[in-house]
Amino acid sequence: MAEEVTEAHILNEKMSEAFDWSDSETVVRDAIWDYFMEKNNHNTDKTVVDVKPYTSDKSEDEIKQFIEANLKK
């Protein structure tokens, strides 16, 4: 039987809903994607690899910590 992968619910929330310091309407999943695309000079292949842990392995707390450390302005 295949193992079911559950993703963190925060990934589907708008940044403004997930974080009181944000007024962005961007979905958290897209904000993470955009961050890595910029970091990787728009290299899609590298970005896919970098984003995968956030969509499959990381907990909500780990994702929040990443966002706070890297996207909070």
Side-chain angles (χ1 to χ4, degrees):
M1 181 180 266
E3 183 178 329
E4 183 179 332
V5 176
T6 57
E7 65 181 24
H9 294 286
I10 193 172
L11 292 171
N12 298 315
E13 294 179 21
K14 294 177 183 176
M15 288 288 290
S16 60
E17 295 170 348
F19 301 97
D20 59 1
W21 49 262
S22 178
D23 60 1
S24 175
E25 294 296 309
T26 303
V27 176
V28 171
R29 171 191 319 277
D30 293 342
I32 293 170
W33 177 267
D34 293 345
Y35 169 81
F36 281 110
M37 279 294 277
E38 287 297 319
K39 184 177 179 232
N40 296 327
N41 291 323
H42 298 271
N43 180 327
T44 304
D45 293 333
K46 176 97 171 88
T47 299
V48 167
V49 171
D50 288 348
V51 168
K52 186 171 174 35
Y54 294 91
T55 60
S56 60
D57 300 332
K58 303 265 185 201
S59 70
E60 295 227 4
D61 287 339
E62 291 171 316
I63 293 169
K64 286 181 181 180
Q65 288 172 358
F66 172 81
I67 296 280
E68 293 277 344
N70 294 286
L71 300 177
K72 187 174 181 178
K73 295 177 183 176

Coordinates of all heavy atoms in Angstrom, one line a residue:
M1 N 0.8 -1.2 0.0 CA 0.0 0.0 0.0 C 0.9 1.2 0.0 O 1.9 1.3 0.7 CB -0.9 0.0 1.2 CG -1.9 1.2 1.3 SD -2.9 1.1 2.7 CE -4.3 0.3 2.0
A2 N 0.5 2.2 -0.8 CA 1.3 3.4 -0.9 C 1.1 4.3 0.3 O 0.0 4.4 0.9 CB 0.9 4.2 -2.2
E3 N 2.2 4.9 0.7 CA 2.1 5.8 1.9 C 1.5 7.1 1.5 O 1.8 7.7 0.4 CB 3.5 6.1 2.4 CG 3.6 7.0 3.6 CD 5.0 7.2 4.1 OE1 5.8 6.3 4.0 OE2 5.2 8.2 4.7
E4 N 0.5 7.6 2.2 CA -0.2 8.9 1.9 C 0.7 10.0 2.4 O 1.1 10.1 3.5 CB -1.5 8.9 2.6 CG -2.3 10.1 2.3 CD -3.7 10.1 2.9 OE1 -4.2 9.1 3.2 OE2 -4.2 11.2 3.2
V5 N 0.9 11.0 1.5 CA 1.6 12.2 1.9 C 0.7 13.3 2.2 O -0.2 13.6 1.4 CB 2.6 12.6 0.7 CG1 3.3 13.9 1.0 CG2 3.5 11.5 0.4
T6 N 0.8 13.8 3.4 CA -0.1 14.9 3.8 C 0.8 16.2 3.8 O 1.9 16.2 4.4 CB -0.8 14.7 5.1 OG1 0.2 14.5 6.1 CG2 -1.7 13.5 5.0
E7 N 0.3 17.2 3.2 CA 1.0 18.5 3.2 C 0.5 19.4 4.3 O -0.6 19.3 4.7 CB 1.0 19.1 1.8 CG -0.4 19.6 1.4 CD -0.4 20.2 0.1 OE1 0.5 19.9 -0.8 OE2 -1.3 21.0 -0.2
A8 N 1.3 20.3 4.7 CA 1.0 21.3 5.7 C -0.1 22.2 5.2 O 0.0 22.7 4.0 CB 2.2 22.1 6.1
H9 N -1.2 22.4 6.0 CA -2.3 23.3 5.5 C -1.9 24.7 5.2 O -2.4 25.4 4.4 CB -3.4 23.3 6.6 CG -4.0 21.9 6.7 ND1 -4.9 21.4 5.8 CD2 -3.9 21.0 7.7 CE1 -5.3 20.2 6.2 NE2 -4.7 19.9 7.3
I10 N -0.8 25.2 5.9 CA -0.4 26.5 5.8 C 0.0 26.8 4.3 O -0.1 28.0 3.9 CB 0.8 26.9 6.7 CG1 1.1 28.4 6.8 CG2 2.1 26.1 6.3 CD1 2.1 28.8 7.8
L11 N 0.4 25.8 3.6 CA 0.9 26.0 2.2 C -0.2 26.6 1.3 O 0.0 27.3 0.3 CB 1.3 24.7 1.6 CG 2.6 24.1 2.1 CD1 2.8 22.7 1.6 CD2 3.8 25.0 1.8
N12 N -1.5 26.4 1.7 CA -2.6 26.9 0.9 C -3.2 28.2 1.4 O -4.2 28.6 0.9 CB -3.7 25.8 0.8 CG -3.1 24.6 0.1 OD1 -2.5 24.7 -1.0 ND2 -3.4 23.4 0.6
E13 N -2.7 28.7 2.5 CA -3.2 30.0 3.0 C -2.5 31.1 2.4 O -1.3 31.0 1.9 CB -2.9 30.0 4.5 CG -3.7 29.0 5.3 CD -3.4 29.1 6.8 OE1 -2.9 30.1 7.3 OE2 -3.6 28.1 7.5
K14 N -3.2 32.3 2.3 CA -2.5 33.5 1.9 C -1.5 33.9 2.9 O -1.7 33.7 4.1 CB -3.5 34.6 1.7 CG -4.5 34.3 0.6 CD -5.5 35.4 0.5 CE -6.6 35.1 -0.6 NZ -7.6 36.1 -0.6
M15 N -0.5 34.6 2.5 CA 0.6 35.0 3.4 C -0.1 35.9 4.5 O 0.2 35.8 5.7 CB 1.6 35.8 2.7 CG 2.6 35.0 1.9 SD 3.7 34.0 2.9 CE 4.8 35.3 3.5
S16 N -1.0 36.8 4.1 CA -1.7 37.7 5.1 C -2.6 36.9 6.1 O -2.8 37.4 7.2 CB -2.6 38.7 4.3 OG -3.6 38.1 3.5
E17 N -3.0 35.7 5.7 CA -3.8 34.9 6.7 C -2.9 34.1 7.6 O -3.2 33.9 8.8 CB -4.7 33.9 5.9 CG -5.7 34.5 5.1 CD -6.4 33.6 4.1 OE1 -6.0 32.4 3.9 OE2 -7.5 33.9 3.6
A18 N -1.8 33.7 7.1 CA -0.8 32.9 7.9 C 0.1 33.7 8.8 O 0.5 33.2 9.9 CB 0.0 32.0 7.0
F19 N 0.4 34.9 8.4 CA 1.3 35.8 9.2 C 0.7 37.2 9.4 O 0.4 37.8 8.4 CB 2.7 35.9 8.4 CG 3.3 34.5 8.2 CD1 3.1 33.9 7.0 CD2 4.0 33.9 9.2 CE1 3.7 32.6 6.7 CE2 4.6 32.7 9.0 CZ 4.4 32.0 7.7
D20 N 0.7 37.6 10.6 CA 0.1 38.9 10.9 C 0.9 40.0 10.4 O 0.4 41.1 10.2 CB -0.2 39.0 12.4 CG 1.0 38.9 13.3 OD1 2.1 38.7 12.8 OD2 0.8 39.0 14.5
W21 N 2.2 39.8 10.1 CA 3.0 40.9 9.6 C 3.0 41.1 8.1 O 3.5 42.0 7.6 CB 4.5 40.6 10.0 CG 5.0 39.2 9.8 CD1 5.1 38.2 10.6 CD2 5.5 38.7 8.5 NE1 5.6 37.1 10.0 CE2 5.8 37.4 8.7 CE3 5.7 39.3 7.2 CZ2 6.3 36.6 7.7 CZ3 6.2 38.5 6.2 CH2 6.5 37.2 6.5
S22 N 2.3 40.2 7.4 CA 2.2 40.2 6.0 C 0.9 40.8 5.5 O -0.2 40.4 6.1 CB 2.4 38.8 5.4 OG 2.3 38.9 4.0
D23 N 0.9 41.6 4.4 CA -0.3 42.0 3.8 C -0.4 41.4 2.4 O -1.3 41.8 1.6 CB -0.4 43.5 3.8 CG 0.7 44.2 3.0 OD1 1.6 43.5 2.5 OD2 0.8 45.4 2.9
S24 N 0.4 40.4 2.1 CA 0.5 39.8 0.8 C -0.7 38.8 0.6 O -1.0 38.1 1.5 CB 1.8 39.1 0.6 OG 1.8 38.4 -0.7
E25 N -1.3 38.9 -0.6 CA -2.4 38.0 -1.0 C -1.8 36.7 -1.6 O -2.5 35.8 -2.0 CB -3.3 38.6 -1.9 CG -4.1 39.8 -1.3 CD -5.0 39.4 -0.2 OE1 -5.8 38.4 -0.4 OE2 -4.9 39.9 0.9
T26 N -0.5 36.6 -1.8 CA 0.2 35.5 -2.3 C 0.0 34.3 -1.4 O 0.2 34.4 -0.2 CB 1.7 35.7 -2.5 OG1 1.8 36.9 -3.4 CG2 2.4 34.6 -3.2
V27 N -0.3 33.1 -2.0 CA -0.4 31.9 -1.2 C 1.0 31.5 -0.7 O 2.0 31.7 -1.4 CB -1.0 30.8 -2.1 CG1 -1.1 29.4 -1.4 CG2 -2.4 31.2 -2.6
V28 N 1.1 30.9 0.5 CA 2.4 30.6 1.1 C 3.2 29.7 0.1 O 4.4 29.9 -0.1 CB 2.2 29.9 2.4 CG1 3.5 29.3 3.0 CG2 1.6 30.9 3.4
R29 N 2.6 28.7 -0.5 CA 3.3 27.8 -1.4 C 4.0 28.6 -2.5 O 5.1 28.4 -2.9 CB 2.3 26.8 -2.0 CG 2.8 26.0 -3.2 CD 1.6 25.2 -3.9 NE 0.6 24.7 -3.0 CZ 0.7 23.5 -2.3 NH1 1.8 22.8 -2.5 NH2 -0.3 23.1 -1.6
D30 N 3.2 29.6 -3.1 CA 3.8 30.4 -4.2 C 4.9 31.3 -3.7 O 5.9 31.6 -4.4 CB 2.7 31.2 -4.8 CG 1.7 30.4 -5.6 OD1 2.0 29.2 -5.9 OD2 0.6 30.8 -5.9
A31 N 4.8 31.8 -2.4 CA 5.8 32.7 -1.9 C 7.1 31.9 -1.7 O 8.2 32.5 -2.0 CB 5.3 33.3 -0.5
I32 N 7.0 30.7 -1.3 CA 8.2 29.8 -1.2 C 8.8 29.6 -2.5 O 10.0 29.7 -2.7 CB 7.9 28.5 -0.5 CG1 7.5 28.8 1.0 CG2 9.1 27.5 -0.5 CD1 6.9 27.5 1.7
W33 N 8.0 29.3 -3.5 CA 8.4 29.1 -4.9 C 9.1 30.3 -5.4 O 10.2 30.2 -6.0 CB 7.2 28.7 -5.8 CG 7.7 28.5 -7.2 CD1 7.6 29.5 -8.2 CD2 8.2 27.4 -7.8 NE1 8.1 29.0 -9.4 CE2 8.5 27.7 -9.2 CE3 8.5 26.1 -7.4 CZ2 9.0 26.7 -10.1 CZ3 9.0 25.1 -8.3 CH2 9.2 25.5 -9.6
D34 N 8.5 31.5 -5.2 CA 9.1 32.7 -5.7 C 10.5 33.0 -5.1 O 11.4 33.4 -5.7 CB 8.1 33.9 -5.5 CG 6.9 33.8 -6.3 OD1 6.8 33.0 -7.3 OD2 5.9 34.5 -6.0
Y35 N 10.5 32.7 -3.8 CA 11.8 32.9 -3.0 C 12.9 32.1 -3.7 O 14.0 32.6 -3.9 CB 11.6 32.6 -1.6 CG 12.9 32.5 -0.8 CD1 13.5 33.7 -0.3 CD2 13.6 31.3 -0.6 CE1 14.7 33.6 0.3 CE2 14.8 31.2 0.1 CZ 15.4 32.4 0.5 OH 16.6 32.3 1.2
F36 N 12.7 30.8 -3.9 CA 13.7 30.0 -4.4 C 14.0 30.3 -5.9 O 15.1 30.1 -6.3 CB 13.4 28.5 -4.2 CG 13.7 28.0 -2.8 CD1 12.6 27.7 -2.0 CD2 15.0 27.9 -2.4 CE1 12.9 27.3 -0.7 CE2 15.3 27.5 -1.1 CZ 14.2 27.2 -0.2
M37 N 13.0 30.7 -6.7 CA 13.2 31.1 -8.1 C 14.2 32.2 -8.1 O 15.1 32.2 -8.9 CB 11.9 31.4 -8.8 CG 11.2 30.2 -9.3 SD 12.0 29.3 -10.6 CE 11.6 30.2 -12.0
E38 N 14.0 33.2 -7.3 CA 14.9 34.4 -7.2 C 16.3 33.9 -6.8 O 17.3 34.3 -7.3 CB 14.4 35.4 -6.3 CG 13.2 36.2 -6.8 CD 13.5 37.0 -8.1 OE1 14.6 37.6 -8.2 OE2 12.7 37.0 -9.0
K39 N 16.4 33.1 -5.7 CA 17.6 32.6 -5.2 C 18.4 31.8 -6.2 O 19.6 31.9 -6.2 CB 17.3 31.8 -3.9 CG 18.6 31.3 -3.2 CD 18.2 30.6 -1.9 CE 19.4 30.1 -1.3 NZ 19.4 28.7 -1.0
N40 N 17.7 31.1 -7.0 CA 18.3 30.2 -8.0 C 18.4 30.8 -9.4 O 18.6 30.1 -10.4 CB 17.6 28.9 -8.1 CG 17.6 28.1 -6.8 OD1 18.6 28.1 -6.1 ND2 16.6 27.4 -6.5
N41 N 18.3 32.1 -9.5 CA 18.4 32.8 -10.8 C 17.4 32.2 -11.8 O 17.8 32.0 -13.0 CB 19.8 32.8 -11.4 CG 20.8 33.6 -10.6 OD1 20.4 34.7 -10.1 ND2 22.0 33.2 -10.4
H42 N 16.2 32.0 -11.4 CA 15.1 31.5 -12.2 C 15.4 30.1 -12.9 O 14.9 29.8 -13.9 CB 14.7 32.5 -13.2 CG 14.3 33.8 -12.6 ND1 12.9 34.0 -12.3 CD2 14.9 34.9 -12.2 CE1 12.8 35.2 -11.7 NE2 14.0 35.7 -11.6
N43 N 16.2 29.3 -12.2 CA 16.5 27.9 -12.6 C 15.4 27.0 -12.1 O 15.4 26.7 -10.9 CB 17.9 27.5 -12.1 CG 18.2 26.1 -12.6 OD1 17.3 25.2 -12.7 ND2 19.5 25.8 -12.8
T44 N 14.4 26.7 -12.9 CA 13.3 25.9 -12.5 C 13.7 24.5 -12.0 O 13.1 24.1 -11.0 CB 12.3 25.7 -13.7 OG1 11.9 27.0 -14.2 CG2 11.0 25.0 -13.3
D45 N 14.6 23.8 -12.6 CA 15.0 22.5 -12.2 C 15.5 22.6 -10.7 O 15.2 21.7 -9.9 CB 16.0 21.9 -13.1 CG 15.5 21.6 -14.5 OD1 14.3 21.4 -14.6 OD2 16.3 21.6 -15.4
K46 N 16.4 23.5 -10.4 CA 17.0 23.7 -9.1 C 15.9 24.1 -8.1 O 15.8 23.6 -7.0 CB 18.1 24.7 -9.1 CG 18.7 25.0 -7.7 CD 19.9 24.3 -7.5 CE 20.6 24.8 -6.2 NZ 20.2 24.1 -5.0
T47 N 15.0 24.9 -8.5 CA 13.9 25.4 -7.6 C 13.0 24.2 -7.3 O 12.5 24.1 -6.1 CB 13.1 26.5 -8.3 OG1 14.0 27.6 -8.5 CG2 11.9 27.0 -7.4
V48 N 12.6 23.4 -8.2 CA 11.8 22.2 -7.9 C 12.4 21.3 -6.8 O 11.8 20.9 -5.9 CB 11.6 21.3 -9.2 CG1 11.0 20.0 -8.9 CG2 10.7 22.1 -10.2
V49 N 13.7 21.1 -6.9 CA 14.4 20.3 -5.9 C 14.4 21.0 -4.5 O 14.2 20.4 -3.5 CB 15.9 20.1 -6.3 CG1 16.7 19.5 -5.2 CG2 15.9 19.2 -7.6
D50 N 14.6 22.4 -4.5 CA 14.7 23.1 -3.3 C 13.3 23.2 -2.6 O 13.2 23.2 -1.4 CB 15.2 24.5 -3.5 CG 16.7 24.5 -3.8 OD1 17.4 23.5 -3.6 OD2 17.2 25.6 -4.2
V51 N 12.2 23.3 -3.4 CA 10.9 23.5 -2.9 C 10.3 22.2 -2.4 O 9.5 22.1 -1.4 CB 10.0 24.1 -3.9 CG1 8.5 24.1 -3.5 CG2 10.4 25.6 -4.2
K52 N 10.6 21.0 -3.0 CA 10.0 19.7 -2.7 C 9.9 19.4 -1.2 O 8.9 19.0 -0.7 CB 10.8 18.6 -3.4 CG 10.1 17.3 -3.2 CD 10.7 16.2 -4.1 CE 10.2 14.8 -3.9 NZ 8.9 14.5 -3.6
P53 N 11.0 19.7 -0.4 CA 10.8 19.4 1.1 C 9.7 20.2 1.8 O 9.1 19.7 2.7 CB 12.2 19.7 1.7 CG 13.1 19.7 0.5 CD 12.3 20.1 -0.7
Y54 N 9.4 21.4 1.3 CA 8.4 22.2 1.9 C 7.0 21.7 1.5 O 6.1 22.0 2.2 CB 8.6 23.7 1.5 CG 9.9 24.2 2.0 CD1 11.1 24.1 1.3 CD2 10.0 24.7 3.3 CE1 12.3 24.6 1.9 CE2 11.2 25.2 3.9 CZ 12.3 25.1 3.1 OH 13.5 25.5 3.7
T55 N 6.9 21.0 0.4 CA 5.6 20.5 0.0 C 5.3 19.1 0.4 O 4.2 18.6 0.2 CB 5.4 20.7 -1.5 OG1 6.4 20.0 -2.2 CG2 5.4 22.2 -1.9
S56 N 6.3 18.4 1.0 CA 6.1 17.0 1.3 C 6.6 16.6 2.7 O 6.0 15.8 3.4 CB 6.7 16.1 0.3 OG 8.1 16.3 0.1
D57 N 7.8 17.2 3.1 CA 8.4 16.7 4.3 C 8.3 17.6 5.6 O 8.3 17.1 6.7 CB 9.9 16.4 4.1 CG 10.1 15.4 3.0 OD1 9.3 14.5 2.8 OD2 11.2 15.5 2.3
K58 N 8.3 18.9 5.3 CA 8.4 19.9 6.4 C 7.1 20.0 7.2 O 6.0 20.0 6.6 CB 8.8 21.2 5.9 CG 10.1 21.2 5.2 CD 11.3 21.6 6.0 CE 12.5 21.7 5.2 NZ 13.7 21.5 6.0
S59 N 7.2 20.2 8.5 CA 6.0 20.5 9.3 C 5.5 21.9 9.2 O 6.3 22.8 8.6 CB 6.3 20.2 10.8 OG 7.2 21.2 11.3
E60 N 4.3 22.2 9.7 CA 3.9 23.6 9.6 C 4.8 24.5 10.4 O 5.1 25.6 9.9 CB 2.5 23.7 10.2 CG 1.4 23.0 9.4 CD 0.2 23.8 9.2 OE1 0.1 24.9 9.6 OE2 -0.7 23.2 8.6
D61 N 5.3 24.1 11.5 CA 6.3 24.9 12.3 C 7.6 25.1 11.5 O 8.1 26.2 11.6 CB 6.6 24.2 13.6 CG 5.4 24.3 14.6 OD1 4.5 25.2 14.4 OD2 5.4 23.5 15.6
E62 N 8.1 24.1 10.9 CA 9.3 24.3 10.1 C 9.1 25.3 8.9 O 9.9 26.1 8.6 CB 9.8 22.9 9.5 CG 10.3 22.0 10.6 CD 10.6 20.6 10.1 OE1 9.7 20.1 9.3 OE2 11.6 20.1 10.4
I63 N 7.9 25.2 8.3 CA 7.6 26.1 7.2 C 7.5 27.5 7.7 O 8.0 28.5 7.2 CB 6.3 25.7 6.5 CG1 6.6 24.4 5.7 CG2 5.9 26.8 5.5 CD1 5.3 23.7 5.2
K64 N 6.8 27.7 8.9 CA 6.7 29.0 9.5 C 8.0 29.6 9.8 O 8.3 30.8 9.6 CB 5.8 29.0 10.7 CG 4.3 28.8 10.4 CD 3.5 28.8 11.6 CE 2.0 28.6 11.3 NZ 1.2 28.6 12.5
Q65 N 8.9 28.8 10.4 CA 10.2 29.3 10.8 C 11.0 29.7 9.5 O 11.7 30.7 9.6 CB 11.0 28.2 11.5 CG 10.5 27.9 12.9 CD 11.1 26.7 13.5 OE1 12.0 26.0 12.9 NE2 10.8 26.4 14.8
F66 N 10.9 28.9 8.5 CA 11.6 29.3 7.2 C 11.1 30.7 6.7 O 11.8 31.5 6.3 CB 11.4 28.2 6.1 CG 11.9 28.6 4.8 CD1 13.2 28.5 4.5 CD2 11.0 29.1 3.8 CE1 13.7 29.0 3.3 CE2 11.5 29.6 2.6 CZ 12.8 29.5 2.3
I67 N 9.7 30.8 6.7 CA 9.1 32.0 6.2 C 9.6 33.2 7.0 O 10.0 34.3 6.5 CB 7.6 31.9 6.2 CG1 7.1 30.8 5.2 CG2 6.9 33.3 5.9 CD1 7.1 31.2 3.8
E68 N 9.5 33.0 8.4 CA 9.9 34.1 9.3 C 11.4 34.5 9.0 O 11.7 35.7 9.0 CB 9.7 33.7 10.7 CG 8.3 33.5 11.1 CD 7.5 34.7 11.5 OE1 8.2 35.8 11.8 OE2 6.3 34.7 11.6
A69 N 12.2 33.6 8.8 CA 13.7 33.8 8.7 C 14.0 34.4 7.3 O 15.0 35.2 7.2 CB 14.5 32.6 8.9
N70 N 13.2 34.1 6.3 CA 13.6 34.4 4.9 C 12.7 35.4 4.2 O 13.2 36.1 3.2 CB 13.8 33.2 4.1 CG 14.9 32.3 4.6 OD1 16.1 32.6 4.4 ND2 14.6 31.2 5.3
L71 N 11.5 35.5 4.6 CA 10.5 36.3 3.8 C 10.0 37.5 4.6 O 9.3 38.3 4.0 CB 9.4 35.5 3.3 CG 9.8 34.3 2.3 CD1 8.6 33.5 1.9 CD2 10.5 34.9 1.1
K72 N 10.2 37.5 5.9 CA 9.6 38.6 6.7 C 10.5 39.8 6.4 O 11.7 39.8 6.5 CB 9.7 38.2 8.2 CG 9.0 39.3 9.1 CD 9.0 38.8 10.5 CE 8.3 39.8 11.4 NZ 8.3 39.4 12.8
K73 N 9.8 40.9 6.1 CA 10.5 42.2 5.8 C 10.4 43.1 6.9 O 9.5 43.2 7.7 CB 9.9 42.8 4.5 CG 10.1 41.9 3.3 CD 9.4 42.5 2.1 CE 9.6 41.5 1.0 NZ 8.9 41.9 -0.2

